[in-house]
């Protein structure tokens, strides 16, 4: 009997609990309306209330009439079948689907065309292939420019990567084709060009490279690159680089050793205003040892760079030694970290590098390495609440540093002038440069939807051994700044802003001397609207404040540009 009573009570309690739990969870899951009624809240007066039966003094007594109750049952056919109860689980928030491929297309004024395509697909669980294509072109139309100022830039990269227990490796091949026009004719050139003059120039760059990383091995990684470039004026260049990296421990101390082999060879077919060597070649071999030291509050990497360089055409060789030191020390956890970098390097300049920096270079120019004897910087960085900061100062010493200069187009010629004889191309000239630099960076992340970054850098130049251009730091700005901001308004809208400032610069022109290029501000704004998970529309405004400013001397840029288009994400 006791067992039966206990079993009955337990059954009632469990049934009541399950019913209540199911009802609460059903309300939570199905989004129904839940009415909350305040439960009985007893007070002290309730606890001590006198519970007595009051006396009734009624002279009229009415005898109650007995009432008889009966139930008349009628069977009713029912078609209702109760569903089997089940417990629904809370569903996690669905993550946004990741797509491996996308295509972007945009059109704007100046007949600007933007196109991109990227895809990545797996061959098996340990290897994949990626393809990236991009195109940016314009038909031109800059105010006050008489010659053709159209341009195009098209690139394609294909890569294959694979992974295993012992190593990862990848190989990439690609090409880039740039076309432009030498439209920056000097205003006071003695002979003005015809408006239909062909001032086109072009560069085709190509390359193939591989990279491998090894695990649990003294041989840590290796990087090999074969690159080349050819121009529409029959200039050509080839470069091969091999850079293995070793790492091991000696008495619980990390030791590293980097090796570099770099071969460069090129030639020019045109003769230009400034005489240049027809052929050039360089071989550079480098050893980069380093030791890593760690502590609770500090990290130091002590190293050096030793280069043996040979000028192949002139059969001249030399040895260069540079420091390679990085260190950081925590003054206050995450708040203040002192850091310094003391280095240098043997910089192998190339035609491909110059064409990427300034596509308006002459068909032939001097290609020579730079001896960066010292490149030192020191400062503080850290985080204060939502603010991340960095302040620094530094000093740089460069021997045989390249500068871009132009001419006035007044050279004596026999026969017709070439399209690059109107003071509209840039040559390289070399001198020694000492630079004092200082700056600061500030980043703000208020939430996951908003981040802002500001960078400001100032420089002071001292040029020597640059007699050919009167020791002018030609085309180098003393002050630069940039501001970037990204804000996700909601699930549909997002926007991004970039603001660039480049200060006033001096530029040298042969036959004229120093010229001044005004500083400029360039504001760019992007607005994106997600139509659905696969399709996004965008509107981009470039150079909203800058006007036809000049980044390179004599070359005004396009004024306000507006470009709109769509981005489509998909899977095959």
């Amino acid at each position: 009997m006791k067992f039966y009573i206990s079993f009955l009570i337990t059954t009632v309690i469990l049934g009541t609990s399950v019913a209540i739990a199911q009802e609460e969870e059903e309300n939570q899951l199905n989004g129904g309306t839940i009415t909350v009624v305040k439960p009985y809240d007893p007070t002290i007066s309730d606890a001590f209330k006198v519970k007595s039966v009051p006396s009734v003094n009624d002279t009229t007594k009415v005898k109650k009439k007995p009432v008889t109750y009966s139930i008349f049952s009628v069977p009713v056919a029912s078609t209702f079948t109760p569903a089997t109860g089940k417990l629904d689980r809370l569903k996690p928030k669905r993550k946004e689907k990741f797509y491996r491929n996308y295509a972007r297309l945009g059109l704007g004024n100046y007949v600007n065309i933007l196109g991109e395509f990227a895809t990545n697909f797996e061959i098996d669980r340990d290897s994949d292939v990626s393809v990236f294509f991009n195109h940016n072109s314009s038909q031109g139309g800059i105010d006050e420019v008489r010659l053709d100022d159209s341009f195009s830039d098209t690139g394609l990269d294909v890569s294959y990567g694979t992974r295993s227990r012992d190593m990862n490796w990848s190989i990439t091949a690609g090409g880039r084709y740039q076309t432009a026009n030498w439209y920056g004719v000097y205003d006071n050139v003695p002979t003005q060009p015809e408006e239909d003059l062909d001032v086109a120039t072009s560069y085709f760059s190509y390359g193939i490279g591989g990279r491998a990383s090894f695990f649990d091995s003294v041989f840590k990684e290796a990087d090999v690159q074969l690159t080349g470039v050819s121009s529409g004026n029959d200039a050509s260049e080839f470069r091969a680089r091999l850079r293995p990296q070793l790492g091991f421990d000696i008495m619980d101390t990390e030791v590293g050793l980097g090796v570099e082999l770099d071969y460069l060879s090129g030639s020019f077919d045109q003769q230009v205003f400034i005489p240049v060597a027809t052929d050039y070649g360089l071989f550079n071999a480098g050893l980069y040892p380093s030791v890593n030291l760690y502590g609770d509050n500090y990290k130091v990497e002590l190293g050096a760079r030793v280069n043996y360089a040979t000028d192949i055409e002139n059969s001249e060789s030399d040895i260069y030694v540079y420091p390679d030191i990085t260190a950081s020390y925590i003054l206050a956890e995450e708040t203040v970290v002192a850091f310094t970098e003391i280095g240098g390097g043997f910089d192998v300049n190339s035609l491909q590098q110059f064409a990427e920096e300034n596509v308006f270079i002459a068909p032939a120019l001097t290609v020579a390495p730079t001896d960066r004897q010292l490149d030192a910087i020191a400062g503080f960085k850290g985080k204060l609440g939502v603010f991340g900061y960095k302040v620094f100062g530094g000093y740089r010493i460069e021997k045989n540093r390249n500068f871009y200069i132009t001419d006035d187009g007044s050279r004596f010629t026999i026969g017709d002038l070439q399209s690059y004889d109107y003071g509209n191309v840039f040559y390289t000239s070399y001198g020694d440069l000492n630079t004092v630099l200082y700056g600061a960076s500030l980043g703000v992340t208020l939430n996951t939807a908003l981040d802002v970054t500001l960078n400001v850098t100032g420089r002071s130049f001292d040029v020597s051994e640059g007699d050919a251009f009167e020791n002018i730091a030609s085309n180098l700005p003393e002050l630069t700044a940039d501001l970037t901001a990204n804000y996700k308004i909601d699930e549909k809208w997002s926007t991004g802003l970039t603001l660039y400032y480049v200060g006033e610069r001096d530029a040298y022109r042969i036959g004229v001397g120093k010229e001044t290029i005004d500083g400029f501000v360039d504001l760019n704004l992007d607005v994106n609207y997600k139509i659905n998970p696969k399709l996004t529309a965008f509107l981009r405004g470039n150079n909203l404040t800058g006007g036809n400013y000049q980044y390179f001397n004599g070359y005004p840029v396009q004024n306000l540009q507006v470009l709109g288009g769509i981005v489509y994400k998909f899977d095959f």
Side-chain angles (χ1 to χ4, degrees), residues 94-105:
R94 176 179 293 182
K95 294 182 179 180
E96 185 175 355
K97 179 176 174 57
F98 172 77
Y99 295 94
R100 290 181 173 272
N101 318 287
Y102 82 90
R104 181 194 304 268
L105 178 64

Side-chain angles (χ1 to χ4, degrees), residues 78-126:
S78 175
T79 58
F80 172 74
T81 302
T84 303
K86 64 179 180 178
L87 180 63
D88 289 337
R89 297 184 179 274
L90 290 173
K91 297 181 180 180
K93 186 178 179 181
R94 176 179 293 182
K95 294 182 179 180
E96 185 175 355
K97 179 176 174 57
F98 172 77
Y99 295 94
R100 290 181 173 272
N101 318 287
Y102 82 90
R104 181 194 304 268
L105 178 64
L107 300 174
N109 59 335
Y110 294 99
V111 197
N112 287 336
I113 300 175
L114 172 67
E116 290 180 0
F117 172 78
T119 181
N120 177 271
F121 53 90
E122 292 184 352
I123 296 180
D124 54 46
R125 61 179 296 177
D126 295 323

Side-chain angles (χ1 to χ4, degrees), residues 165-315:
R165 286 187 61 183
D166 300 324
M167 62 176 293
N168 295 341
W169 65 272
S170 62
I171 184 171
T172 302
R176 180 185 184 188
Y177 183 62
Q178 298 171 269
T179 66
N181 287 275
W182 291 307
Y183 64 86
V185 173
Y186 178 47
D187 292 336
N188 298 323
V189 67
T191 303
Q192 291 294 322
E194 300 293 334
E195 292 189 6
D196 60 349
L197 177 67
D198 183 8
V199 289
T201 183
S202 63
Y203 290 92
F204 174 65
S205 304
Y206 56 90
I208 183 170
R211 182 183 182 89
S213 300
F214 304 90
F215 310 131
D216 300 326
S217 173
V218 173
F219 196 64
K220 296 301 182 182
E221 62 181 38
D223 185 7
V224 59
Q225 295 180 2
L226 303 175
T227 60
V229 63
S230 61
S231 76
N233 293 281
D234 299 324
S236 63
E237 180 182 82
F238 174 78
R239 187 175 186 181
R241 304 178 72 183
L242 174 62
R243 291 175 292 182
Q245 178 72 37
L246 287 73
F248 43 88
D249 293 341
I250 298 178
M251 299 179 63
D252 297 329
T253 301
E254 293 182 6
V255 178
L257 178 63
V259 180
E260 180 177 21
L261 301 176
D262 192 350
Y263 171 78
L264 178 71
S265 177
S267 64
F268 298 108
D269 188 60
Q270 301 287 343
Q271 292 297 321
V272 293
F273 177 72
I274 299 179
V276 300
T278 305
D279 302 294
Y280 60 93
L282 182 73
F283 177 73
N284 170 45
L287 290 176
Y288 313 134
S290 63
V291 176
N292 295 327
L293 304 175
Y294 300 93
D296 294 336
N297 294 324
Y298 69 88
K299 177 182 178 181
V300 179
E301 182 177 348
L302 299 176
R305 304 176 71 88
V306 181
N307 292 87
Y308 177 78
T310 300
D311 185 337
I312 298 175
E313 294 298 324
N314 299 315
S315 300

Side-chain angles (χ1 to χ4, degrees), residues 391-435:
V391 293
F392 62 89
Y395 188 67
R396 184 180 299 143
I397 302 175
E398 297 172 278
K399 299 293 183 182
N400 205 44
R401 208 264 193 203
N402 66 286
F403 298 85
Y404 291 117
I405 65 174
T406 55
D407 69 287
D408 61 357
S410 62
R411 72 178 180 132
F412 176 79
T413 60
I414 299 176
D416 296 333
L417 292 174
Q418 301 296 322
S419 57
Y420 47 83
D421 288 333
Y422 295 90
N424 55 339
V425 296
F426 291 85
Y427 308 93
T428 53
S429 192
Y430 292 79
D432 298 341
L433 175 65
N434 294 350
T435 306

Side-chain angles (χ1 to χ4, degrees), residues 20-133:
I20 294 174
Q22 288 181 341
E23 181 179 0
E24 289 180 350
E25 186 165 4
E26 180 179 3
N27 290 336
Q28 180 182 5
L29 294 172
N30 297 333
T33 302
I34 300 175
T35 303
V36 178
V37 180
K38 183 178 181 181
Y40 171 68
D41 186 13
T43 62
I44 295 177
S45 59
D46 293 330
F48 293 95
K49 185 177 293 183
V50 177
K51 301 185 183 301
S52 60
V53 180
S55 60
V56 178
N57 184 14
D58 190 356
T59 57
T60 306
K61 299 287 184 179
V62 179
K63 186 177 181 181
K64 294 182 180 181
K65 186 178 180 180
V67 180
T68 303
Y69 298 94
S70 63
I71 299 177
F72 180 69
S73 299
V74 179
V76 178
S78 175
T79 58
F80 172 74
T81 302
T84 303
K86 64 179 180 178
L87 180 63
D88 289 337
R89 297 184 179 274
L90 290 173
K91 297 181 180 180
K93 186 178 179 181
R94 176 179 293 182
K95 294 182 179 180
E96 185 175 355
K97 179 176 174 57
F98 172 77
Y99 295 94
R100 290 181 173 272
N101 318 287
Y102 82 90
R104 181 194 304 268
L105 178 64
L107 300 174
N109 59 335
Y110 294 99
V111 197
N112 287 336
I113 300 175
L114 172 67
E116 290 180 0
F117 172 78
T119 181
N120 177 271
F121 53 90
E122 292 184 352
I123 296 180
D124 54 46
R125 61 179 296 177
D126 295 323
S127 59
D128 55 13
V129 173
S130 298
V131 179
F132 179 70
F133 169 83

Side-chain angles (χ1 to χ4, degrees), residues 418-479:
Q418 301 296 322
S419 57
Y420 47 83
D421 288 333
Y422 295 90
N424 55 339
V425 296
F426 291 85
Y427 308 93
T428 53
S429 192
Y430 292 79
D432 298 341
L433 175 65
N434 294 350
T435 306
V436 176
L437 65 154
Y438 49 90
S441 299
L442 180 64
V444 182
T445 303
L446 298 181
N447 49 53
T448 57
L450 175 64
D451 61 86
V452 182
T453 303
L454 173 65
N455 300 299
V456 180
T457 303
R459 304 171 185 86
S460 177
F461 303 113
D462 180 23
V463 182
S464 60
E465 302 299 327
D467 298 335
F469 51 97
E470 300 179 6
N471 289 329
I472 293 173
S474 185
N475 283 279
L476 296 181
E478 293 188 349
L479 181 62

